Amino acid sequence: MQKTENSRLRSLRIAALGALALAAPAVAQQFVDQTSTRFPVQAEYTNQCTIVDVDGDGDKDIVWANGGGYSSLGTLLKPRVFVNNGSGTFADETDARAAGITGCFRGVEAGDVDRDGDWDLVLAQDFNRRPLLLINNGSGTFADQTATRLPNITMGSARAQFGDIDNDGDLDILICNSGANRFSTTGRPRIFVNNGAGVFTDAPTTQFPSTALAEQMDCVFGDIDNDLDLDFHVGTRATGTGSSQLWINDGAGNFAKLGTFVTDFTCYSYDFGDIEGDGDLDLIGINAGSSNTELLLRNNGAGTSWTNISSQISPNPTVDDNDSRFIDYDMDGDLDLLVAALGGPDRMYRNTGTGTFAQVTSGVLPSITDSSLDVKVGDLTGDGKPDIITAQGESGAFQNRIYVNTGAADAIAPNIKLVEQVTPAGVGPFVVRTEVFDQTTSDRGYDDKGVFLLYKVDGGKPQQVAMAWSGNSLWRGVIPAQAACAQVEYWVRALDVSNNVANSPVKSFTVPGSCGVFGDLNGDGIVNAADLAVLLNSWGSGGPADLDGSGSVDAADMTLLLNAFS
């Protein structure tokens, strides 16, 4: 995305960098540019993308958010749908799957808004246009149902995200909104709350008391305080008129802004990731540091204090960068950093294991100069290795790219970081949430093949239910209602696309209620004269011998006890 540089000088700089890239000697790379054989030729302004299995056939497809124009409205474009043939070669099936839909789309994300088992789409639009909600028919064909499902609010938006903010089992929407366009100063970010059937209302300011925030470029959910609910960050490009914001969830979907955060500058993207393996989410802000450098922030563990450790990125140049992802490209167990640049080659930084990053200048990424506005990682070829795609816009040839990973496959099991402890208040059902990480990050969690809740009752056969994705790295499952006094053991199983499996430690709880044999007041398993003695000793008072719940032990309780005699 452009900064303040003169457009003519900018074009000359891009051309010069391109010439240098063409003149550079060929070096074998781990990530190989296979765009010409795997992607259809295109020449459209793409702003962002998402990797998602739209047709439910088990492989990853791609949806591109397209829309022309930078500071003024350009050509309205289709949101392209690229369908995977199962081995990582894609066909453009937009006209069959999203017929008649055009717009100025800056962002796209997937979520199952009506909980029917398929992925729907939200598209953020710029220049005072409504975001669109596209509903999947189950086989990857989408219908625009914005008019009946979303509030009638126009906005200048750069990004939208799905997440279950109130733990009610459905996905809500967080969306950037700067006003007339994404560079405006009058809009405020919005939350659209799901009614459970995929119909949304605008959250009141008592729930989300946001005010005007200029030039919002990004929003992202993340559980920053390890309480298994979704907090979120909103990033702004504005300088001098306000910094990015961090909002904390009270667990019921009510948000309060963290008063003391950081001062940042001209950011285009933020991403969460646990960079040093200490169990909490840290933040990378692309171009959010001074002079267009990256801003790296370490979480203190509680999400209330953040330390600027940008010096741990080396080098940290003043380059026009736009997006990032964490990816363990060398499969050594920590998250490395991938940075997407506009007007220069994308960059990979290797993590030392402690959150210190050093750029890898050869053997990993091709040195290709293009105009990357967005980057995503995921296994697109089905070989268990995370590949890379970039979305190209604003300048250059507008040819989106795919880099196929020829390195080691992922052999590391997912990390089930947290599992909710059930504290039952009745016979159920019982909600269990979990947080799971792996060797890649995205706004929709790790590259998963399923997260499951397993449970057994009174030592019986284990039962399994699929957990639903709830936003970022959270999943939610439900244990059905059980009889009073049942002993329930449960755990989480997570599977990644490389078929690595992790199981959490077992947790347990007892279903509350009246347990044992009715009238067995001394706990010996039978009702006899010994229990009658207990009842007589409690005559006129309350307690366990008050069998009818009247508040006092009397003749009515004696009658009940005698009827229960063994």
Side-chain angles (χ1 to χ4, degrees):
M1 295 181 182
Q2 291 169 327
K3 305 293 188 293
T4 58
E5 187 176 10
N6 178 274
S7 60
R8 181 174 179 273
L9 290 176
R10 180 185 182 83
S11 298
L12 290 172
R13 175 172 64 86
I14 292 173
L17 286 170
L20 287 173
L22 291 173
V27 178
Q29 308 292 337
Q30 177 178 335
F31 292 91
V32 180
D33 182 10
Q34 296 186 4
T35 304
S36 62
T37 58
R38 294 182 181 271
F39 275 5
V41 175
Q42 62 150 38
E44 291 183 330
Y45 192 132
T46 301
N47 294 282
Q48 196 245 337
C49 59
T50 192
I51 298 174
V52 59
D53 182 6
V54 298
D55 50 5
D57 63 354
D59 56 42
K60 296 298 198 310
D61 311 299
I62 306 170
V63 183
W64 308 92
N66 294 345
Y70 177 71
S71 56
S72 59
L73 180 62
T75 304
L76 300 182
L77 299 174
K78 301 174 183 179
R80 292 285 173 184
V81 181
F82 280 15
V83 176
N84 195 334
N85 71 348
S87 60
T89 299
F90 294 82
D92 182 0
E93 298 187 6
T94 303
D95 291 340
R97 296 181 180 274
I101 298 171
T102 60
C104 185
F105 303 118
R106 301 299 186 192
V108 58
E109 195 49 83
D112 183 3
V113 302
D114 46 9
R115 289 306 195 205
D116 62 353
D118 55 44
W119 294 102
D120 310 302
L121 300 171
V122 64
L123 290 154
Q125 286 209 80
D126 203 354
F127 299 108
N128 209 30
R129 301 171 65 86
R130 289 180 75 176
L132 297 188
L133 186 63
L134 308 186
I135 301 300
N136 194 332
N137 72 347
S139 61
T141 299
F142 296 91
D144 181 0
Q145 297 187 11
T146 304
T148 57
R149 291 180 180 268
L150 289 188
N152 187 11
I153 300 174
T154 58
M155 56 184 71
S157 181
R159 193 75 78 244
Q161 300 285 1
F162 287 112
D164 181 2
I165 64 170
D166 45 11
N167 193 27
D168 63 355
D170 56 48
L171 293 174
D172 311 297
I173 298 173
L174 168 67
I175 189 163
C176 295
N177 171 33
S178 299
N181 61 66
R182 69 192 193 283
F183 300 117
S184 297
T185 62
T186 58
R188 63 179 181 88
R190 301 273 185 164
I191 290 176
F192 293 164
V193 180
N194 194 334
N195 72 347
V199 178
F200 296 82
T201 56
D202 188 24
T205 54
T206 52
Q207 182 176 356
F208 178 35
S210 61
T211 55
L213 180 63
E215 300 186 58
Q216 300 162 43
M217 293 291 116
D218 191 29
C219 57
V220 59
F221 281 116
D223 177 15
I224 65 167
D225 46 9
N226 288 340
D227 60 357
L228 288 167
D229 59 38
L230 290 173
D231 315 297
F232 65 82
H233 182 273
V234 177
T236 171
R237 180 183 177 274
T239 300
T241 58
S243 291
S244 298
Q245 298 177 349
L246 196 61
W247 290 79
I248 311 301
N249 193 338
D250 69 352
N254 303 300
F255 292 89
K257 185 171 65 175
L258 184 65
T260 303
F261 185 48
V262 295
T263 299
D264 58 2
F265 311 89
T266 62
C267 93
Y268 281 104
S269 172
Y270 270 89
D271 293 294
F272 284 115
D274 183 1
I275 63 172
E276 67 279 81
D278 63 352
D280 57 50
L281 289 175
D282 309 296
L283 267 173
I284 178 74
I286 298 302
N287 273 36
S290 60
S291 303
N292 295 347
T293 57
E294 324 307 4
L295 178 65
L296 187 61
L297 300 173
R298 174 181 287 143
N299 189 342
N300 71 348
T304 55
S305 178
W306 300 78
T307 303
N308 186 339
I309 56 170
S310 304
S311 61
Q312 293 181 198
I313 301 175
S314 179
N316 192 353
T318 58
V319 176
D320 194 354
D321 297 325
N322 285 272
D323 195 28
S324 67
R325 279 295 172 266
F326 290 109
I327 173 176
D328 185 4
Y329 80 90
D330 51 4
M331 291 300 157
D332 64 350
D334 55 42
L335 292 177
D336 308 302
L337 175 63
L338 172 63
V339 176
L342 188 150
D346 303 327
R347 307 190 303 279
M348 184 74 78
Y349 291 83
R350 184 177 183 274
N351 191 340
T352 63
T354 59
T356 298
F357 297 89
Q359 185 179 358
V360 183
T361 57
S362 63
V364 179
L365 288 177
S367 184
I368 296 175
T369 293
D370 53 18
S371 300
S372 299
L373 297 186
D374 191 52
V375 62
K376 293 291 189 295
V377 295
D379 181 10
L380 297 170
T381 61
D383 61 359
K385 304 172 184 179
D387 308 300
I388 297 170
I389 60 171
T390 60
Q392 306 293 317
E394 192 176 326
S395 59
F398 295 159
Q399 176 60 58
N400 299 326
R401 295 187 183 275
I402 179 171
Y403 300 101
V404 174
N405 190 348
T406 64
D410 179 6
I412 302 173
N415 173 21
I416 304 173
K417 190 182 78 171
L418 294 171
V419 176
E420 186 168 14
Q421 175 62 57
V422 173
T423 305
V427 297
F430 308 98
V431 172
V432 177
R433 292 171 292 179
T434 188
E435 190 162 16
V436 186
F437 299 102
D438 200 37
Q439 306 316 109
T440 60
T441 66
S442 78
D443 297 340
R444 207 169 57 252
Y446 78 103
D447 202 357
D448 78 288
K449 207 171 182 178
V451 179
F452 306 94
L453 177 60
L454 291 93
Y455 67 95
K456 55 184 180 179
V457 180
D458 293 330
K461 181 180 177 180
Q463 307 293 316
Q464 177 176 290
V465 295
M467 302 186 80
W469 175 73
S470 296
N472 196 276
S473 298
L474 297 185
W475 278 260
R476 182 183 190 271
V478 179
I479 298 172
Q482 303 295 326
C485 305
Q487 302 294 314
V488 180
E489 297 175 279
Y490 66 97
W491 64 100
V492 169
R493 178 171 296 159
L495 180 68
D496 67 22
V497 293
S498 303
N499 293 315
N500 301 303
V501 180
N503 289 286
S504 74
V506 175
K507 292 180 176 288
S508 63
F509 63 92
T510 301
V511 180
S514 179
C515 303
V517 178
F518 181 78
D520 177 21
L521 302 181
N522 65 352
D524 63 0
I526 59 174
V527 181
N528 55 20
D531 302 297
L532 179 58
V534 173
L535 184 143
L536 292 174
N537 287 332
S538 302
W539 200 269
S541 63
D546 178 20
L547 299 177
D548 63 356
S550 66
S552 177
V553 178
D554 53 23
D557 300 300
M558 180 180 291
T559 300
L560 290 172
L561 181 66
L562 293 174
N563 288 336
F565 256 45
S566 300

